[in-house]
Amino acid sequence: MDFDTAADRLYGVSPAEFTATRKRLAGELPREDARRLTALRRPTVSAWAVNHLVRDGGVEPLLDLGERMREAWSSGGDVGELERERGTLVDGLVRRARALAKEADRPLNEAQSREVEDTLQAAIADPSAAEAVRAGRLEHPLSHAGFGPLGAVAPSVTQRRGAAAPKERRKKRAAPEEDPRIRARRLAEEARAAAERAEEAERSLTQWRSERDAAREAVAAADRRLEELEGNVGELERRLEGLRRQVKAAEGERVEADRHAQVTEREYDRAARTADDTRRHAEEADARRRVEQGGKAAGR
């Protein structure tokens, strides 16, 4: 077995089995590969869910969509239809991830489901995130921030509703030109409204990031506590095995003691019978002696 095969197997197991599996697989590798494998960290539950989703074979359509969307962004093409496809694919994959996690007796909560969604969105926007997802060895969920391709995913109202039909475009071209002052005021109002929406979105994003970071810290703390408890379990299992060996040895000693006691009891019984026979012979001899003594006395 080589390192890549061992790593793929390791990130295919549930978080609860990760530590024991890592130890077992490391024992089957050369020293340097074993050291690298031992350095791998247990995935968070949401990262494990995405890894599980990759092994289920469901992410390739999403990664293909990401390539098409990034190409459309770079070329200035229309992403309205791709955006609708993105929403459908991501929603379906999140539901599938939740179903797989439930089947594995590790259901996802709402925060973990959001992290799965964030990871899938990042895989659409960022080629490096896409490759990390495709590898199926995530340790933590991914996210994409800023005004890069993912920021461009949010389409305009026109894009969400589809491009205007040629007849509609002709009507717009035939419309009279708008007064420059009215147009300037309208654009200023639209800019203010867009800025307010952007500020609100930024506040919401900051809040979600704070909650996500807090959740990740809680998960990391829980992981550390779980590793500690697993270590304690291992120590207790070793102690229990030692006690079992002691019990087995004591049982062997008890069997030997019982056998020795039975032999001793038989010897005791034999000695008691001998002692009884000896006393009876002595009593008979003494009786004969008295009889003889009485006969001699009468003869005199």
Side-chain angles (χ1 to χ4, degrees):
M1 182 189 304
D2 58 14
F3 171 81
D4 287 331
T5 301
D8 285 339
R9 291 185 183 178
L10 180 60
Y11 282 97
V13 303
S14 68
E17 300 170 342
F18 187 89
T19 301
T21 303
R22 181 178 59 190
K23 181 178 180 181
R24 176 177 59 79
L25 292 175
E28 301 176 15
L29 293 174
R31 177 176 298 179
E32 182 60 26
D33 286 344
R35 185 189 64 78
R36 291 173 59 198
L37 191 77
T38 303
L40 297 179
R41 306 304 301 166
R42 181 210 312 268
T44 65
V45 174
S46 56
W48 162 78
V50 175
N51 293 337
H52 200 21
L53 192 62
V54 171
R55 285 162 176 78
D56 186 56
V59 300
E60 282 303 325
L62 182 84
L63 300 179
D64 175 70
L65 173 66
E67 293 179 1
R68 288 185 284 131
M69 292 194 79
R70 291 192 297 273
E71 182 179 351
W73 286 322
S74 63
S75 64
D78 186 5
V79 296
E81 185 60 34
L82 296 175
E83 166 64 14
R84 286 188 286 274
E85 185 179 348
R86 179 194 67 85
T88 300
L89 269 176
V90 171
D91 289 346
L93 287 174
V94 172
R95 287 195 299 271
R96 180 58 180 162
R98 296 187 67 140
L100 290 172
K102 186 175 181 180
E103 290 174 6
D105 292 328
R106 192 60 177 87
L108 304 180
N109 58 32
E110 289 303 319
Q112 291 160 349
S113 297
R114 284 195 299 271
E115 288 180 341
V116 169
E117 181 178 356
D118 289 345
T119 301
L120 298 177
Q121 298 282 18
I124 292 175
D126 188 344
S128 61
E131 288 307 310
V133 168
R134 179 179 278 116
R137 300 182 192 173
L138 294 178
E139 296 179 0
H140 298 284
L142 306 177
S143 61
H144 184 84
F147 296 94
L150 190 59
V153 166
S156 67
V157 175
T158 302
Q159 288 174 320
R160 279 197 291 265
R161 294 177 179 174
K167 184 177 180 181
E168 292 174 343
R169 288 198 295 268
R170 286 196 298 271
K171 288 181 178 179
K172 289 182 179 180
R173 286 197 297 269
E177 292 187 1
E178 187 176 12
D179 183 277
R181 289 172 297 180
I182 296 176
R183 176 179 174 79
R185 286 196 299 271
R186 178 174 60 79
L187 291 177
E189 291 174 358
E190 291 178 356
R192 282 195 299 273
E196 290 175 358
R197 289 195 298 271
E199 290 178 0
E200 179 62 27
E202 187 65 28
R203 286 193 295 270
S204 298
L205 180 60
T206 300
Q207 180 180 353
W208 281 116
R209 282 176 178 167
S210 176
E211 294 180 4
R212 180 199 63 190
D213 292 343
R216 285 181 178 175
E217 289 180 4
V219 169
D223 282 344
R224 289 192 297 272
R225 178 57 177 162
L226 182 57
E227 287 186 356
E228 178 183 348
L229 292 175
E230 286 177 345
N232 293 339
V233 168
E235 177 62 25
L236 291 173
E237 287 177 345
R238 288 190 292 272
R239 291 174 59 185
L240 179 59
E241 183 60 28
L243 292 173
R244 284 173 176 164
R245 288 195 295 268
Q246 293 179 24
V247 168
K248 187 175 182 180
E251 288 176 346
E253 293 175 358
R254 180 180 179 277
V255 170
E256 181 62 23
D258 284 344
R259 187 187 65 77
H260 183 70
Q262 292 173 3
V263 171
T264 302
E265 287 179 358
R266 287 196 296 272
E267 292 295 332
Y268 173 79
D269 291 341
R270 188 161 44 248
R273 287 194 298 273
T274 301
D276 289 341
D277 291 343
T278 301
R279 281 196 301 272
R280 187 171 61 256
H281 290 319
E283 290 173 354
E284 291 175 352
D286 186 58
R288 287 195 298 273
R289 180 181 61 77
R290 290 179 181 177
V291 169
E292 289 176 0
Q293 288 177 349
K296 291 178 179 179
R300 287 198 297 271

